[in-house]
PDB file of all heavy atoms in Angstrom:
ATOM      1  N   GLU S 839     -11.496 -22.732 -13.209  1.00  0.00           N
ATOM      2  CA  GLU S 839     -10.319 -21.867 -13.053  1.00  0.00           C
ATOM      3  C   GLU S 839     -10.577 -20.330 -13.259  1.00  0.00           C
ATOM      4  O   GLU S 839      -9.934 -19.513 -12.493  1.00  0.00           O
ATOM      5  CB  GLU S 839      -9.265 -22.334 -14.065  1.00  0.00           C
ATOM      6  CG  GLU S 839      -9.776 -22.331 -15.553  1.00  0.00           C
ATOM      7  CD  GLU S 839      -8.769 -23.057 -16.492  1.00  0.00           C
ATOM      8  OE1 GLU S 839      -8.031 -23.865 -15.998  1.00  0.00           O
ATOM      9  OE2 GLU S 839      -8.867 -22.710 -17.682  1.00  0.00           O
ATOM     10  N   GLU S 840     -11.528 -20.004 -14.111  1.00  0.00           N
ATOM     11  CA  GLU S 840     -11.731 -18.482 -14.347  1.00  0.00           C
ATOM     12  C   GLU S 840     -12.300 -17.874 -13.047  1.00  0.00           C
ATOM     13  O   GLU S 840     -11.874 -16.765 -12.635  1.00  0.00           O
ATOM     14  CB  GLU S 840     -12.694 -18.292 -15.503  1.00  0.00           C
ATOM     15  CG  GLU S 840     -12.120 -18.646 -16.871  1.00  0.00           C
ATOM     16  CD  GLU S 840     -11.096 -17.621 -17.259  1.00  0.00           C
ATOM     17  OE1 GLU S 840     -11.078 -16.518 -16.657  1.00  0.00           O
ATOM     18  OE2 GLU S 840     -10.453 -17.804 -18.259  1.00  0.00           O
ATOM     19  N   ALA S 841     -13.304 -18.552 -12.419  1.00  0.00           N
ATOM     20  CA  ALA S 841     -13.923 -18.116 -11.192  1.00  0.00           C
ATOM     21  C   ALA S 841     -12.917 -17.946 -10.082  1.00  0.00           C
ATOM     22  O   ALA S 841     -12.848 -16.915  -9.303  1.00  0.00           O
ATOM     23  CB  ALA S 841     -15.097 -18.911 -10.886  1.00  0.00           C
ATOM     24  N   LEU S 842     -12.004 -18.994  -9.964  1.00  0.00           N
ATOM     25  CA  LEU S 842     -11.041 -18.964  -8.799  1.00  0.00           C
ATOM     26  C   LEU S 842     -10.056 -17.806  -9.029  1.00  0.00           C
ATOM     27  O   LEU S 842      -9.690 -17.156  -8.132  1.00  0.00           O
ATOM     28  CB  LEU S 842     -10.350 -20.329  -8.750  1.00  0.00           C
ATOM     29  CG  LEU S 842      -9.203 -20.457  -7.740  1.00  0.00           C
ATOM     30  CD1 LEU S 842      -9.721 -20.191  -6.402  1.00  0.00           C
ATOM     31  CD2 LEU S 842      -8.533 -21.840  -7.807  1.00  0.00           C
ATOM     32  N   TYR S 843      -9.690 -17.685 -10.352  1.00  0.00           N
ATOM     33  CA  TYR S 843      -8.621 -16.590 -10.685  1.00  0.00           C
ATOM     34  C   TYR S 843      -9.245 -15.217 -10.331  1.00  0.00           C
ATOM     35  O   TYR S 843      -8.556 -14.396  -9.819  1.00  0.00           O
ATOM     36  CB  TYR S 843      -8.286 -16.752 -12.226  1.00  0.00           C
ATOM     37  CG  TYR S 843      -7.363 -15.744 -12.699  1.00  0.00           C
ATOM     38  CD1 TYR S 843      -6.017 -15.733 -12.358  1.00  0.00           C
ATOM     39  CD2 TYR S 843      -7.716 -14.671 -13.422  1.00  0.00           C
ATOM     40  CE1 TYR S 843      -5.076 -14.823 -12.708  1.00  0.00           C
ATOM     41  CE2 TYR S 843      -6.847 -13.719 -13.989  1.00  0.00           C
ATOM     42  CZ  TYR S 843      -5.470 -13.839 -13.510  1.00  0.00           C
ATOM     43  OH  TYR S 843      -4.622 -12.828 -13.960  1.00  0.00           O
ATOM     44  N   ARG S 844     -10.475 -15.002 -10.679  1.00  0.00           N
ATOM     45  CA  ARG S 844     -11.107 -13.762 -10.429  1.00  0.00           C
ATOM     46  C   ARG S 844     -11.147 -13.433  -8.929  1.00  0.00           C
ATOM     47  O   ARG S 844     -10.904 -12.341  -8.458  1.00  0.00           O
ATOM     48  CB  ARG S 844     -12.556 -13.601 -11.007  1.00  0.00           C
ATOM     49  CG  ARG S 844     -12.513 -13.463 -12.528  1.00  0.00           C
ATOM     50  CD  ARG S 844     -13.977 -13.105 -13.013  1.00  0.00           C
ATOM     51  NE  ARG S 844     -14.887 -14.059 -12.630  1.00  0.00           N
ATOM     52  CZ  ARG S 844     -15.374 -15.028 -13.383  1.00  0.00           C
ATOM     53  NH1 ARG S 844     -14.722 -15.284 -14.518  1.00  0.00           N
ATOM     54  NH2 ARG S 844     -16.309 -15.921 -12.922  1.00  0.00           N
ATOM     55  N   GLN S 845     -11.403 -14.562  -8.107  1.00  0.00           N
ATOM     56  CA  GLN S 845     -11.521 -14.356  -6.709  1.00  0.00           C
ATOM     57  C   GLN S 845     -10.139 -14.027  -6.045  1.00  0.00           C
ATOM     58  O   GLN S 845     -10.046 -13.101  -5.261  1.00  0.00           O
ATOM     59  CB  GLN S 845     -12.002 -15.677  -6.021  1.00  0.00           C
ATOM     60  CG  GLN S 845     -12.231 -15.561  -4.519  1.00  0.00           C
ATOM     61  CD  GLN S 845     -13.535 -14.823  -4.118  1.00  0.00           C
ATOM     62  OE1 GLN S 845     -14.213 -14.347  -4.983  1.00  0.00           O
ATOM     63  NE2 GLN S 845     -13.807 -14.833  -2.868  1.00  0.00           N
ATOM     64  N   LEU S 846      -9.075 -14.591  -6.613  1.00  0.00           N
ATOM     65  CA  LEU S 846      -7.759 -14.351  -6.127  1.00  0.00           C
ATOM     66  C   LEU S 846      -7.356 -12.972  -6.464  1.00  0.00           C
ATOM     67  O   LEU S 846      -6.668 -12.270  -5.697  1.00  0.00           O
ATOM     68  CB  LEU S 846      -6.748 -15.385  -6.674  1.00  0.00           C
ATOM     69  CG  LEU S 846      -7.030 -16.795  -6.188  1.00  0.00           C
ATOM     70  CD1 LEU S 846      -5.961 -17.866  -6.818  1.00  0.00           C
ATOM     71  CD2 LEU S 846      -7.035 -16.964  -4.680  1.00  0.00           C
ATOM     72  N   LEU S 847      -7.734 -12.480  -7.716  1.00  0.00           N
ATOM     73  CA  LEU S 847      -7.470 -11.165  -8.067  1.00  0.00           C
ATOM     74  C   LEU S 847      -8.110 -10.135  -7.169  1.00  0.00           C
ATOM     75  O   LEU S 847      -7.615  -9.155  -6.672  1.00  0.00           O
ATOM     76  CB  LEU S 847      -7.923 -10.809  -9.548  1.00  0.00           C
ATOM     77  CG  LEU S 847      -7.107 -11.379 -10.647  1.00  0.00           C
ATOM     78  CD1 LEU S 847      -7.698 -11.027 -11.982  1.00  0.00           C
ATOM     79  CD2 LEU S 847      -5.649 -10.812 -10.547  1.00  0.00           C
ATOM     80  N   ASP S 848      -9.418 -10.455  -6.740  1.00  0.00           N
ATOM     81  CA  ASP S 848     -10.167  -9.642  -5.850  1.00  0.00           C
ATOM     82  C   ASP S 848      -9.473  -9.521  -4.533  1.00  0.00           C
ATOM     83  O   ASP S 848      -9.597  -8.500  -3.720  1.00  0.00           O
ATOM     84  CB  ASP S 848     -11.586 -10.123  -5.664  1.00  0.00           C
ATOM     85  CG  ASP S 848     -12.418  -9.861  -6.939  1.00  0.00           C
ATOM     86  OD1 ASP S 848     -11.992  -9.023  -7.770  1.00  0.00           O
ATOM     87  OD2 ASP S 848     -13.487 -10.497  -6.998  1.00  0.00           O
ATOM     88  N   TYR S 849      -8.815 -10.555  -4.071  1.00  0.00           N
ATOM     89  CA  TYR S 849      -8.115 -10.564  -2.822  1.00  0.00           C
ATOM     90  C   TYR S 849      -6.794  -9.758  -2.896  1.00  0.00           C
ATOM     91  O   TYR S 849      -6.178  -9.498  -1.805  1.00  0.00           O
ATOM     92  CB  TYR S 849      -7.790 -12.004  -2.418  1.00  0.00           C
ATOM     93  CG  TYR S 849      -8.835 -12.618  -1.514  1.00  0.00           C
ATOM     94  CD1 TYR S 849      -9.516 -13.756  -1.964  1.00  0.00           C
ATOM     95  CD2 TYR S 849      -9.258 -12.011  -0.302  1.00  0.00           C
ATOM     96  CE1 TYR S 849     -10.482 -14.426  -1.183  1.00  0.00           C
ATOM     97  CE2 TYR S 849     -10.259 -12.629   0.434  1.00  0.00           C
ATOM     98  CZ  TYR S 849     -10.855 -13.702   0.016  1.00  0.00           C
ATOM     99  OH  TYR S 849     -11.874 -14.344   0.811  1.00  0.00           O
ATOM    100  N   GLY S 850      -6.397  -9.426  -4.065  1.00  0.00           N
ATOM    101  CA  GLY S 850      -5.202  -8.594  -4.253  1.00  0.00           C
ATOM    102  C   GLY S 850      -3.925  -9.376  -4.519  1.00  0.00           C
ATOM    103  O   GLY S 850      -2.850  -8.819  -4.602  1.00  0.00           O
ATOM    104  N   LEU S 851      -4.025 -10.644  -4.820  1.00  0.00           N
ATOM    105  CA  LEU S 851      -2.889 -11.432  -5.149  1.00  0.00           C
ATOM    106  C   LEU S 851      -2.315 -10.968  -6.470  1.00  0.00           C
ATOM    107  O   LEU S 851      -3.116 -10.657  -7.384  1.00  0.00           O
ATOM    108  CB  LEU S 851      -3.189 -12.950  -5.263  1.00  0.00           C
ATOM    109  CG  LEU S 851      -3.091 -13.720  -3.861  1.00  0.00           C
ATOM    110  CD1 LEU S 851      -4.230 -13.356  -2.929  1.00  0.00           C
ATOM    111  CD2 LEU S 851      -3.161 -15.197  -4.083  1.00  0.00           C
TER     112      LEU S 851
END
Side-chain angles (χ1 to χ4, degrees):
E839 56 190 21
E840 290 286 350
L842 177 58
Y843 180 71
R844 287 195 301 270
Q845 184 79 356
L846 297 180
L847 283 180
D848 287 345
Y849 271 121
L851 274 70

